[in-house]
Amino acid sequence: GPPPPMVRYGGFGGRRLREEVLEGDAVTIDELQSIMYHRRMVMPWTSTNRACIAGTLHRAARINDMFGRPIGLTIRVGRHRLGLAERVDDLLKGMRSMLLLGAPGMGKTTALREIARVFSDLYMRRVVIVDTSNEIAGGDLTPHPAVGSRTRRLMVPKREDQHLVMLEAVLNHNPEVLIIDEVGTEEEALAAASIAQRGVCLIATAQGQSLEQLVNNPALKLLFGGIETVRLDGETVNADPLSCKIVRMRSGPAVFDTLVELDPKVAQPGLWRVYRDLTGSVDRVLAGEPALSE
């Protein structure tokens, strides 16, 4: 028969998940339906099988069978952690653009909420969030208070249109700070580069384990100014090809000033590794040297 419901605790900031099987019978299809179409569930369900719970930061995702009928449900609990952005407060105060890097479940979206609130309520900046899955600010028409009382939010009808909404936010709404949860395609990286050139402070996330891994992601190379392969063949045109040296070089400045790595390998879970000079750090990685971080 179907498995009983399960609760998973923890996991934030790289902590190990703790699982607990709930007592009682397995959830029936009728019970799933009653949850999915409860009045607190913000409708409709999206094409990615997601929906938000009204008045909260929580998100539901359904599992369908081959005919599209729901047979399972995952509910993720959205958190708001006051004070989480204090560790990068000097960067926020200086309006330095920032890319948060980490694996799923490391707390990137939670960090974005608090960063938005600090910019909006503490530093009184014009903040706009491009919220593709409504995961940052919730599914209600009014953004959740966790992102700040003055923060505005643009919803994205389709995931593949996120790069267009990013540009729309800058062209139409004059933000000082633009926040995006997950830049993952070449089009989004190109849009981010265009936005950075307009003087907007850009705060975004990307999935990955390390700076070295991200530099090798071909879809996101524009975030680092573009990576080119260059042949160094000395001073003569007819140099021996066997004597040539092939190196990778950055062709322009990085889009973000700083990279923050939410790294589970640090001494204590939840600590952040900060690369203050992202452009210089990328150059060191391409040269095969360790990047400087703190």
Side-chain angles (χ1 to χ4, degrees):
M6 177 183 293
V7 178
R8 291 175 176 168
Y9 299 95
F12 178 82
R15 292 181 175 88
R16 187 177 178 85
L17 285 171
R18 179 170 62 88
E19 297 182 347
E20 178 181 333
V21 177
L22 301 181
E23 296 181 358
D25 298 330
V27 178
T28 66
I29 295 296
D30 289 340
E31 289 171 330
L32 279 180
Q33 293 279 359
S34 67
I35 296 171
M36 287 174 47
Y37 298 104
H38 193 276
R39 59 183 176 82
R40 289 289 304 278
M41 199 70 72
V42 177
M43 298 300 293
W45 286 78
T46 68
S47 59
T48 56
N49 290 308
R50 292 176 174 179
C52 296
I53 300 175
T56 75
L57 295 168
H58 312 326
R59 190 188 74 197
R62 64 187 178 190
I63 302 171
N64 297 332
D65 66 10
M66 62 184 298
F67 302 106
R69 297 174 300 198
I71 57 173
L73 198 62
T74 300
I75 298 178
R76 293 184 60 179
V77 176
R79 300 179 176 95
H80 178 212
R81 292 178 178 262
L82 281 171
L84 187 62
E86 289 179 358
R87 60 192 75 181
V88 291
D89 185 62
D90 60 324
L91 301 175
L92 305 184
K93 190 179 298 183
M95 291 286 285
R96 291 177 62 82
S97 60
M98 186 186 310
L99 180 66
L100 277 67
L101 175 67
M106 291 298 300
K108 300 185 297 298
T109 304
T110 304
L112 284 185
R113 293 188 191 108
E114 179 63 359
I115 288 172
R117 187 194 67 82
V118 169
F119 270 128
S120 172
D121 292 353
L122 186 60
Y123 296 130
M124 308 299 287
R125 297 293 186 178
R126 296 188 303 274
V127 180
V128 173
I129 295 173
V130 175
D131 203 358
T132 300
S133 62
N134 296 335
E135 193 172 355
I136 304 176
D140 297 287
L141 294 180
T142 303
H144 193 278
V147 300
S149 59
R150 303 168 67 250
T151 297
R152 307 178 78 185
R153 183 263 302 274
L154 297 184
M155 296 183 178
V156 181
K158 294 185 293 185
R159 178 66 179 82
E160 56 268 29
D161 290 340
Q162 176 173 287
H163 65 290
L164 299 175
V165 180
M166 290 167 60
L167 295 172
E168 175 191 334
V170 174
L171 294 173
N172 292 353
H173 304 290
N174 192 29
E176 293 176 287
V177 179
L178 185 66
I179 294 178
I180 308 117
D181 194 4
E182 194 170 332
V183 174
T185 68
E186 188 173 351
E187 291 84 1
E188 290 159 6
L190 184 61
S194 175
I195 291 166
Q197 293 175 356
R198 301 167 193 255
V200 177
C201 178
L202 192 61
I203 310 292
T205 68
Q207 288 198 13
Q209 298 285 353
S210 65
L211 172 59
E212 291 78 6
Q213 183 189 73
L214 199 62
V215 167
N216 291 316
N217 184 333
L220 300 181
K221 62 183 180 181
L222 286 174
L223 295 180
F224 309 109
I227 308 299
E228 295 181 336
T229 301
V230 179
R231 189 180 73 172
L232 304 179
D233 54 9
E235 298 178 358
T236 61
V237 175
N238 298 318
D240 182 0
L242 297 178
S243 67
C244 296
K245 182 179 180 181
I246 305 298
V247 298
R248 292 192 304 160
M249 300 181 66
R250 184 177 44 78
S251 55
V255 169
F256 297 89
D257 299 318
T258 302
L259 183 135
V260 176
E261 201 175 279
L262 283 67
D263 187 356
K265 299 186 296 295
V266 294
Q268 299 179 36
L271 294 183
W272 295 356
R273 177 177 285 117
V274 179
Y275 301 85
R276 289 182 176 269
D277 177 14
L278 180 54
T279 296
S281 296
V282 171
D283 288 342
R284 293 180 67 88
V285 169
L286 293 176
E289 302 173 1
L292 301 178
S293 64
E294 59 187 60

